[in-house]
Amino acid sequence: MRKTLNEIAQDLKNNHKKVQLIYAFNGTGKTRLSREFKELVAPKSDTETEDTGLASKKIIYYNAFTEDLFYWDNDLTNDIEPKLIIQPNIFTKWIFEDQGQDGRIIENFQHYTDAKLTPHFNASYTIEDSGRERRIPAFTEVTFSYERGNDERSDNIKISKGEESCFVWSVFYSLLEQVVDVLNVPDASERETHQFDHLEYIFIDDPVSSLDDNHLIELAVNLAQLIKNSKSDLKFLITTHNPLFYNVLHNEFKKAAFKKYFLKKDEDGQYNLESQSNDAPFSYHLFLKAEIEKAIKTGQVQKYHFNFLRNILEKTSTFLGYENWGEILPKTADGKTDPYESRIINISSHSKHSAEEIVQLTENDKRVLAFLLKEIKKNHKFHNWEGDI
């Protein structure tokens, strides 16, 4: 049944399973769904501020907005000391200052990235700002170094976007470990803190998908184990666009306490939340192909369909042993790849919110998409390519 995101969120709230796992393609609206769900569980009042503290929270969520709490000060003046700035918020204040979990965060971060890549948190200090002293609170700045051993160290490392996402997840995961541990004490009066007494939901939207497959599997297994160790009434909702992550989580949870879905978005902005009965409810690249074909036939081509095509190209090139997906694009008469075709795919698929932008595609863009899909299906012998678009 086709519904709005708000209605989908209400359905999820009405379900009393301990874990609900949702697969959806990028751009479908997973992050907006987490916001809709949060507003249903704990609508923000006009008087609510960060000072209300963790104790009032009914839901904690990890999504794109979580990562927005962290941003880079690239030291544009001197270009010598880039810092990852943590915006003031009750979650990091509690995990760093109240619980002293900075060591655990470093441990989690290094486990999934590199044991020699080390975060350093600032102590409190003051600076002169417009003639006045301004205090910089502790644990609001992070610098990174690369420790090589034998006292060799490279300071002021600007980590990659994937490593940054992994760092943010490490902060959240350390908080999650604390939440589960505290709420596992059944008698609230005996808990070490009452910060989570009102907590009902954890909503996790696409944790670090930039990890390699081995680390992604390990992260999924560790997350599943932590959830299974949760003995309280806390409920978990997890959304992902990564088929491998979905597959691992599916096989980790018991069916009795677990519900899984496939969230789809129609052309008119309505949604379908389809129940899934197994760990592989779709053939990913074939589904993407079908979605592109449907968009071309109905004249509903959007920018994110180029993202779908790039995904097909990446998976096909990996399977066939090519180093670069551009090598399997159609060739011109001189045996070279048309640079325009690879450029249009790159430009159209490299946007964080490519599926949510209002983008005016030219008729030539749409023609290129249809041509490339047809040639790829023909050249690599996708089933039943003849007669399709």
Side-chain angles (χ1 to χ4, degrees), residues 224-272:
Q225 188 59 53
L226 180 63
I227 293 173
K228 287 187 285 188
N229 287 341
S230 175
K231 308 303 180 186
S232 68
D233 293 330
L234 194 62
K235 296 178 178 62
F236 298 83
L237 294 93
I238 305 170
T239 60
T240 183
H241 76 282
N242 188 295
L244 178 60
F245 190 72
Y246 175 94
N247 178 275
V248 173
L249 287 177
H250 176 281
N251 288 293
E252 285 291 317
F253 293 120
K254 294 180 179 178
K255 293 182 180 179
F258 176 46
K259 187 70 176 176
K260 49 198 175 298
Y261 307 97
F262 191 177
L263 180 66
K264 297 181 180 179
K265 182 180 179 181
D266 294 333
E267 287 84 357
D268 61 358
Q270 295 287 297
Y271 295 83
N272 283 291

Side-chain angles (χ1 to χ4, degrees), residues 4-271:
T4 65
L5 268 187
N6 182 268
E7 291 170 328
I8 296 291
Q10 187 65 63
D11 287 345
L12 295 172
K13 185 175 181 292
N14 291 340
N15 192 304
H16 299 296
K17 296 288 187 182
K18 184 176 184 66
V19 183
Q20 296 183 79
L21 174 63
I22 303 166
Y23 181 88
F25 293 118
N26 262 343
T28 301
K30 300 187 304 302
T31 300
R32 282 178 288 137
L33 177 60
S34 70
R35 298 289 290 178
E36 292 282 355
F37 189 86
K38 182 267 178 188
E39 286 302 310
L40 286 176
V41 173
K44 187 173 183 179
S45 67
D46 293 337
T47 58
E48 182 180 348
T49 68
E50 291 295 333
D51 295 333
T52 56
L54 279 171
S56 65
K57 301 299 179 185
K58 293 184 178 180
I59 180 171
I60 295 176
Y61 57 88
Y62 175 92
N63 60 18
F65 294 101
T66 310
E67 294 195 10
D68 288 343
L69 294 173
F70 299 75
Y71 64 95
W72 282 97
D73 176 354
N74 289 314
D75 188 21
L76 297 179
T77 302
N78 300 311
D79 194 28
I80 57 173
E81 192 177 353
K83 301 174 184 176
L84 187 63
I85 307 298
I86 305 176
Q87 297 191 55
N89 66 92
I90 56 174
F91 301 108
T92 56
K93 182 180 184 301
W94 188 84
I95 197 70
F96 286 123
E97 296 184 25
D98 298 348
Q99 292 296 306
Q101 286 292 305
D102 47 307
R104 179 60 177 162
I105 291 166
I106 293 172
E107 181 182 333
N108 284 330
F109 172 71
Q110 291 181 328
H111 180 76
Y112 292 112
T113 55
D114 189 324
K116 298 179 181 179
L117 184 58
T118 306
H120 303 275
F121 301 96
N122 72 300
S124 177
Y125 67 97
T126 59
I127 61 172
E128 186 173 319
D129 185 7
S130 301
R132 296 182 179 181
E133 282 194 348
R134 180 163 63 91
R135 188 179 73 88
I136 306 299
F139 298 106
T140 57
E141 300 177 349
V142 191
T143 56
F144 295 85
S145 66
Y146 198 79
E147 318 281 348
R148 293 187 175 85
N150 299 322
D151 295 327
E152 288 188 45
R153 169 171 162 171
S154 297
D155 289 316
N156 304 319
I157 300 294
K158 176 72 179 287
I159 60 176
S160 69
K161 183 62 179 175
E163 290 166 337
E164 180 186 337
S165 295
C166 194
F167 177 79
V168 177
W169 169 252
S170 297
V171 175
F172 181 86
Y173 187 73
S174 298
L175 171 64
L176 187 54
E177 288 179 313
Q178 289 287 99
V179 168
V180 170
D181 187 54
V182 167
L183 293 184
N184 274 351
V185 177
D187 187 344
S189 65
E190 296 181 359
R191 292 170 182 164
E192 64 179 79
T193 177
H194 298 292
Q195 295 278 20
F196 308 120
D197 286 356
H198 298 289
L199 193 61
E200 300 176 12
Y201 296 96
I202 302 290
F203 198 120
I204 300 173
D205 172 31
D206 258 340
V208 194
S209 56
S210 55
L211 293 172
D212 62 72
D213 285 353
N214 288 335
H215 281 117
L216 188 66
I217 291 170
E218 188 176 11
L219 186 149
V221 170
N222 290 343
L223 176 60
Q225 188 59 53
L226 180 63
I227 293 173
K228 287 187 285 188
N229 287 341
S230 175
K231 308 303 180 186
S232 68
D233 293 330
L234 194 62
K235 296 178 178 62
F236 298 83
L237 294 93
I238 305 170
T239 60
T240 183
H241 76 282
N242 188 295
L244 178 60
F245 190 72
Y246 175 94
N247 178 275
V248 173
L249 287 177
H250 176 281
N251 288 293
E252 285 291 317
F253 293 120
K254 294 180 179 178
K255 293 182 180 179
F258 176 46
K259 187 70 176 176
K260 49 198 175 298
Y261 307 97
F262 191 177
L263 180 66
K264 297 181 180 179
K265 182 180 179 181
D266 294 333
E267 287 84 357
D268 61 358
Q270 295 287 297
Y271 295 83

Side-chain angles (χ1 to χ4, degrees), residues 284-338:
Y284 184 61
H285 61 296
L286 296 180
F287 184 91
L288 293 180
K289 181 176 75 71
E291 287 293 295
I292 299 173
E293 291 171 338
K294 182 170 68 174
I296 292 172
K297 289 179 179 178
T298 58
Q300 300 293 321
V301 174
Q302 302 293 328
K303 186 176 181 181
Y304 67 87
H305 289 109
F306 284 90
N307 210 335
F308 287 4
L309 180 61
R310 181 185 171 115
N311 203 299
I312 294 171
L313 288 166
E314 288 174 343
K315 284 178 168 39
T316 304
S317 63
T318 298
F319 179 78
L320 295 175
Y322 291 95
E323 292 185 1
N324 189 299
W325 57 263
E327 296 180 64
I328 65 172
L329 287 173
K331 300 296 189 293
T332 58
D334 59 0
K336 297 181 179 179
T337 300
D338 186 334

Side-chain angles (χ1 to χ4, degrees), residues 362-380:
T362 67
E363 290 304 314
N364 191 52
D365 294 336
K366 298 175 184 178
R367 180 195 63 77
V368 169
L369 180 69
F371 167 75
L372 287 175
L373 184 62
K374 182 176 180 179
E375 289 299 302
I376 290 164
K377 290 193 298 178
K378 179 178 68 174
N379 293 342
H380 302 290

